[in-house]
Amino acid sequence: MSDAKPQRPVPQPTPETQHFWDGCKNGELILQRCKDTGKAYFPPRPFSPYTGSRNVETFKASGKGILYSYVINHRAPPNFKLEPPYAIAVVELEEGPRLMANIMECEQTPEALQLDMPLEVCFETLTDDIDLPMFRPAKG
């Protein structure tokens, strides 16, 4: 039996994604927005997916969203940090974009994971440089 500490794969920031990871490290969800259309988007990239223009900006998102979809995973890779079952979710942010994340602080059952349930971002520290955005049921 291995004594290796269970872990997650660690994202590798690029120049195009560094602002996102810096925001996560500071407890903020940083998105980008097309300045021509005003629409937010994810994942980070140096051009607008709507116009192809580089006329984009970053902004602090609210961190609020809803559970758009999910699957409950019952098998994890060896030495993976999360013990099954755990939800792999698609969260629709208040600002419009959708992103994949895990749902924390909630039973990982269909009864508890209700579609459209309000969620809020929380962060898990993976390394000194990377905090991973997760979501939990919104409080209040």
Side-chain angles (χ1 to χ4, degrees), residues 19 30-59 95-97:
H19 69 274
I30 303 296
L31 296 179
Q32 287 176 288
R33 160 172 51 222
C34 173
K35 290 171 80 174
D36 297 327
T37 65
K39 291 182 180 180
Y41 61 89
F42 186 86
R45 62 197 102 166
F47 59 88
S48 167
Y50 308 110
T51 65
S53 165
R54 290 187 176 269
N55 190 22
V56 300
E57 64 184 351
T58 60
F59 69 99
E95 293 81 6

Side-chain angles (χ1 to χ4, degrees), residues 35-129:
K35 290 171 80 174
D36 297 327
T37 65
K39 291 182 180 180
Y41 61 89
F42 186 86
R45 62 197 102 166
F47 59 88
S48 167
Y50 308 110
T51 65
S53 165
R54 290 187 176 269
N55 190 22
V56 300
E57 64 184 351
T58 60
F59 69 99
K60 180 182 171 187
S62 68
K64 297 177 183 178
I66 60 164
L67 182 59
Y68 180 79
S69 181
Y70 69 92
V71 62
I72 298 174
N73 192 17
H74 292 274
R75 297 182 78 184
N79 294 319
F80 192 64
K81 187 172 184 176
L82 293 178
E83 287 292 319
Y86 59 88
I88 301 168
V90 177
V91 176
E92 185 171 288
L93 299 174
E94 196 172 72
E95 293 81 6
R98 295 178 186 151
L99 59 94
M100 291 183 71
N102 293 117
I103 305 298
M104 311 306 286
E105 301 176 27
C106 181
E107 242 184 278
Q108 304 292 289
T109 64
E111 293 77 21
L113 296 166
Q114 296 291 311
L115 295 181
D116 296 328
M117 69 188 279
L119 300 170
E120 63 186 14
V121 73
C122 55
F123 297 92
E124 177 184 330
T125 299
L126 296 184
T127 69
D128 289 342
D129 299 320

